[in-house]
Amino acid sequence: MAKEPMRVLVTGAAGQIGYALVPMIARGVMLGTDQPVILHMLDIPPAAEALNGVKMELVDAAFPLLKGVVATTDVVEACTGVNVAVMVGGFPRKEGMERKDVMSKNVSIYKAQASALEAHAAPNCKVLVVANPANTNALILKEFAPSIPERNVTCLTRLDHNRALGQISERLNVQVSDVKNVIIWGNHSSTQYPDVNHATVKTSSGEKPVCELVADDAW
């Protein structure tokens, strides 16, 4: 029996990340190759023309799982009935800025979007926050969308984690897939603390601690 379509919101959908993300969702990479989707794409009014261009490309691609596309600059229309929200949109970090510098600008953006999700999203909506600083934005969203269960709100700090894995693999000349148990603590900004105290690397003689193999605390 065919599944009912899930409505998936992507904010900032006309931006570079959104443009790369929506075709992957439409072909089942995120929710599975048997799950139909209706894409809700939101962006700011100056990006409306680009957003419609993204919609046209999705229609041109004729994805079998894509059962509809909503492209809008209206936050209420974008949030209505959505089962999953991927919050990519936010004030962009520019040269010389830290992630925390965009926080005040993103508070108003996330307050409006969270309020719309609170009022109009489907029950048990799941939310993934991408825009920086991601975990702070997730907290803001949780505060202004209290009916969405806390366990349904998460955010990405995977890039920092991947960077740490990549640097260790290069330093030790090993495959990145052989490095594990690296942890990123703290906020998704300059206060973060990459922790390799529990990290290990697979070697020909078994797993070895990263700290032991690097043997350079300053590094």
Side-chain angles (χ1 to χ4, degrees):
M1 184 175 174
K3 292 183 176 181
E4 284 293 310
M6 292 183 70
R7 293 182 179 270
V8 180
L9 166 65
V10 177
T11 70
Q16 290 181 334
I17 296 173
Y19 178 73
L21 189 60
V22 291
M24 297 171 72
I25 297 171
R27 70 172 188 264
V29 173
M30 186 171 82
L31 296 176
T33 54
D34 63 343
Q35 178 59 63
V37 295
I38 298 171
L39 272 169
H40 288 224
M41 303 191 302
L42 175 68
D43 218 309
I44 56 176
E49 189 173 345
L51 187 64
N52 281 324
V54 176
K55 179 180 179 179
M56 289 170 65
E57 289 193 26
L58 288 169
V59 172
D60 287 346
F63 295 106
L65 292 173
L66 187 60
K67 302 305 180 184
V69 182
V70 177
T72 183
T73 60
D74 180 80
V75 68
V76 171
E77 183 182 8
C79 292
T80 298
V82 297
N83 308 103
V84 177
V86 184
M87 314 299 283
V88 178
F91 188 83
R93 182 162 58 107
K94 298 178 180 177
E95 188 175 350
M97 296 175 72
E98 291 187 16
R99 293 181 176 111
K100 64 185 179 185
D101 296 330
V102 301
M103 194 182 304
S104 60
K105 297 182 184 297
N106 279 330
V107 167
S108 59
I109 295 171
Y110 269 76
K111 181 179 177 181
Q113 293 178 355
S115 299
L117 285 171
E118 170 75 8
H120 303 288
N124 208 35
C125 176
K126 292 179 171 60
V127 185
L128 174 64
V129 178
V130 181
N132 290 315
N135 44 354
T136 303
N137 288 339
L139 178 64
I140 294 166
L141 189 141
K142 181 183 79 71
E143 291 298 315
F144 289 100
S147 71
I148 297 176
E150 286 187 18
R151 66 180 180 275
N152 287 16
V153 180
T154 189
C155 65
L156 294 183
T157 52
R158 187 75 192 205
L159 175 59
D160 300 316
H161 180 256
N162 288 351
R163 281 175 174 159
L165 292 176
Q167 289 178 33
I168 292 165
S169 71
E170 287 201 327
R171 172 80 177 196
L172 299 177
N173 195 28
V174 298
Q175 295 295 315
V176 73
S177 57
D178 291 337
V179 183
K180 69 178 187 180
N181 294 340
V182 175
I183 305 168
I184 306 293
W185 300 103
N187 208 328
H188 191 46
S189 193
S190 59
T191 54
Q192 69 181 253
Y193 175 69
D195 180 3
V196 297
N197 289 303
H198 306 283
T200 60
V201 175
K202 188 192 297 181
T203 71
S204 56
S205 56
E207 290 191 348
K208 301 285 187 182
V210 166
C211 290
E212 179 185 309
L213 294 176
V214 172
D216 183 348
D217 287 345
W219 183 82

